[in-house]
Amino acid sequence: MTGIIHFETFLLTGILLNLTPGNDTIFILTKSIGQGRKAGIISALGIGTGSIVHTTLAAFGLSLIIAKSILLFNIIKYAGAAYLLYSGYKMLTDKSQLNTNEIEMNKSVDYWKIYRDGIFINILNPKVALFFIAFLPQFIDPTLKNTILPFLTLGTTFITTGTIWCLILATFASAIFSKLKNNKKASTYINKICGLTLIGLGIKVALTDRK
């Protein structure tokens, strides 16, 4: 493949990295468990869209600005943490009950907001930007002058495998917890747990450094 070296190794490593639980995984699980299968799928697509942005920025070298600027890194980090804290608070204080019935959920769940949240949470995680500019170049021919196309190719491959895994995760998570849809007490606890999880994730992001 032009400009790309050790593609098979990249593919295998990328799949293993995608299987490793991270912030995006936790976000998708909370949406799948708290708001059903479609919400989980939409959140996974939002995360994937955010990764496309990171890939594009890395391809054109813009992510280097984040890596080298402590101020910009911290601005993005705290913005992402604040967004997670807000999302967790909203879920924690939500009075509605868990319901995985797709027909009824269509009336109450804002899927556009879930998709947008997925994009923002991924974009506002500077660690993702640093990952792309540190990981992808290892599989690009160092003698190549124009690295944009190889960057985009590797990034697209990584995002595709990651999105497939996230869709599987969302589907299975919602299927497991769908049995609780008619249990009002359980649904209340699940909403609270998901909200607290997002708040904890926000705190984790806020405490993240560049190392």
Side-chain angles (χ1 to χ4, degrees):
M1 197 173 294
T2 305
I4 297 176
I5 57 177
H6 308 306
F7 181 75
E8 295 78 9
T9 303
F10 167 80
L11 186 61
L12 178 59
T13 305
I15 291 174
L16 292 176
L17 289 172
N18 282 319
L19 294 178
T20 304
N23 295 357
D24 293 346
T25 303
I26 295 173
F27 175 73
I28 293 168
L29 285 176
T30 58
K31 292 302 177 182
S32 301
I33 295 170
Q35 294 174 290
R37 180 174 61 87
K38 188 173 180 179
I41 290 173
I42 295 296
S43 66
L45 295 177
I47 294 295
T49 303
S51 294
I52 291 174
V53 175
H54 278 296
T55 300
T56 304
L57 292 177
F60 288 92
L62 299 179
S63 289
L64 288 172
I65 299 175
I66 297 176
K68 293 182 178 298
S69 173
I70 296 177
L71 176 61
L72 184 56
F73 180 90
N74 285 331
I75 289 175
I76 295 175
K77 178 181 72 173
Y78 289 123
Y83 202 84
L84 281 167
L85 290 171
Y86 174 75
S87 298
Y89 171 78
K90 292 291 289 184
M91 201 166 192
L92 192 63
T93 57
D94 187 6
K95 301 293 183 181
S96 62
Q97 301 296 327
L98 173 67
N99 191 340
T100 55
N101 185 304
E102 295 292 340
I103 296 176
E104 294 182 18
M105 284 179 61
N106 284 333
K107 300 177 181 178
S108 59
V109 179
D110 187 345
Y111 293 114
W112 167 246
K113 182 180 183 302
I114 292 174
Y115 177 71
R116 188 180 64 231
D117 286 350
I119 294 174
F120 286 158
I121 287 172
N122 187 270
I123 290 178
L124 295 176
N125 185 353
K127 278 287 189 176
V128 178
L130 297 181
F131 166 78
F132 275 103
I133 62 176
F135 180 61
L136 299 190
Q138 298 180 46
F139 301 93
I140 297 177
D141 187 347
T143 63
L144 197 67
K145 293 182 179 180
N146 189 345
T147 60
I148 293 178
L149 183 57
F151 246 114
L152 294 176
T153 302
L154 292 174
T156 301
T157 302
F158 184 79
I159 293 168
T160 300
T161 57
T163 301
I164 291 173
W165 165 242
C166 289
L167 291 175
I168 294 173
L169 196 66
T171 301
F172 276 93
S174 63
I176 293 173
F177 285 87
S178 64
K179 297 179 181 179
L180 300 174
K181 66 181 180 181
N182 294 321
N183 188 325
K184 293 183 178 180
K185 187 175 181 180
S187 69
T188 299
Y189 284 131
I190 290 174
N191 274 338
K192 303 303 181 187
I193 291 172
C194 290
L196 288 172
T197 300
L198 287 179
I199 290 174
L201 189 57
I203 295 173
K204 176 177 178 290
V205 169
L207 298 176
T208 299
D209 57 28
R210 297 197 297 173
K211 296 180 181 179

